[in-house]
Amino acid sequence: SAVISQKPSRDICQRGTSLTIQCQVDSQVTMMFWYRQQPGQSLTLIATANQGSEATYESGFVIDKFPISRPNLTFSTLTVSNMSPEDSSIYLCSVATGAGELFFGEGSRLTVL
Amino acid sequence: GQNIDQPTEMTATEGAIVQINCTYQTSGFNGLFWYQQHAGEAPTFLSYNVLDGLEEKGRFSSFLSRSKGYSYLLLKELQMKDSASYLCAVRAGANNLFFGTGTRLTVIP
């Protein structure tokens, strides 16, 4: 398994501001992913964070709204830009191991007022 | 696209066995995962099936039939702490994981 640390664990933000969420893994991993879980919903994949190249976004998510960095094999950030109350959600970082298993960080609970 | 179906809610008695079903339709199937998620917490990995058959891990077992697009998670000797949401997720392609809406399991005494 992998140990994944996310911060902040939670935050309350004002409409129109931006927040960057950090994800740190205790080992080098090739694939890192960012998910969103809105209240009462299941998880939705936002994007795949690729090391050394631009992230790959899923339908409905764009780079301007959710810029992602992946400077090395153990770290990634997700920024939620120009936030609105609809962005209130839990944002989760996940990594895939060589065995194909996928593990999640503890999540960052974001509330936008 | 992906289509993953699982029951919304289930209730079972402590000590009993419960089976949570998941059916899926996807292109480029590359494995099926089950996760447990307690309220307010991140999902916890339970099992991973890529070939047909049964995978057993203690009280939890997971079954996959790729030809039928079907999986189930079997929980034995239910405990109160097993009350949680159970998420079925399908990997399509390289590593993209798509989740069902989850099954909320309530274990009653």
Side-chain angles (χ1 to χ4, degrees):
Chain A
S1 64
V3 177
I4 306 167
S5 304
Q6 271 187 245
K7 49 182 186 180
S9 57
R10 59 179 63 232
D11 207 341
I12 300 173
C13 302
Q14 296 298 318
R15 181 196 298 260
T17 63
S18 298
L19 179 75
T20 296
I21 302 167
Q22 299 179 6
C23 177
Q24 179 75 52
V25 190
D26 68 341
S27 58
Q28 293 187 337
V29 292
T30 305
M31 309 295 287
M32 294 181 76
F33 307 89
W34 287 98
Y35 285 81
R36 179 174 75 180
Q37 188 172 29
Q38 295 181 303
Q41 305 294 315
S42 192
L43 284 79
T44 302
L45 179 64
I46 298 172
T48 302
N50 304 308
Q51 196 269 330
S53 64
E54 271 196 5
T56 305
Y57 289 84
E58 296 301 309
S59 175
F61 298 97
V62 295
I63 188 171
D64 289 346
K65 176 67 176 177
F66 297 101
I68 287 170
S69 79
R70 179 87 194 272
N72 56 53
L73 293 175
T74 64
F75 186 78
S76 177
T77 67
L78 169 76
T79 299
V80 186
S81 304
N82 188 25
M83 288 183 286
S84 67
E86 292 71 34
D87 294 320
S88 296
S89 187
I90 300 174
Y91 293 86
L92 295 134
C93 169
S94 71
V95 303
T97 68
E101 300 170 344
L102 197 77
F103 296 93
F104 286 87
E106 292 300 310
S108 299
R109 185 184 295 271
L110 179 62
T111 302
V112 184
L113 303 178
Chain B
Q2 328 298 328
N3 190 23
I4 303 166
D5 289 314
Q6 50 182 132
T8 305
E9 294 188 9
M10 298 182 71
T11 302
T13 305
E14 190 177 15
I17 299 172
V18 70
Q19 177 174 312
I20 304 174
N21 296 324
C22 173
T23 58
Y24 64 88
Q25 292 176 309
T26 186
S27 55
F29 176 83
N30 191 20
L32 187 141
F33 296 75
W34 284 96
Y35 289 86
Q36 180 191 62
Q37 187 175 28
H38 286 98
E41 299 182 11
T44 303
F45 172 82
L46 289 178
S47 69
Y48 167 50
N49 295 65
V50 65
L51 300 176
D52 290 351
L54 189 68
E55 295 280 342
E56 298 188 74
K57 274 188 183 181
R59 295 191 298 116
F60 295 77
S61 303
S62 58
F63 172 83
L64 175 66
S65 168
R66 289 171 296 170
S67 63
K68 296 180 180 177
Y70 168 70
S71 174
Y72 66 73
L73 178 70
L74 194 71
L75 292 76
K76 304 175 187 176
E77 301 170 14
L78 279 174
Q79 302 175 8
M80 299 300 291
K81 68 178 182 179
D82 296 330
S83 293
S85 288
Y86 290 86
L87 310 177
C88 173
V90 173
R91 181 162 58 195
N95 267 298
N96 297 5
L97 204 62
F98 297 94
F99 284 81
T101 53
T103 299
R104 183 176 301 183
L105 174 67
T106 302
V107 180
I108 57 176

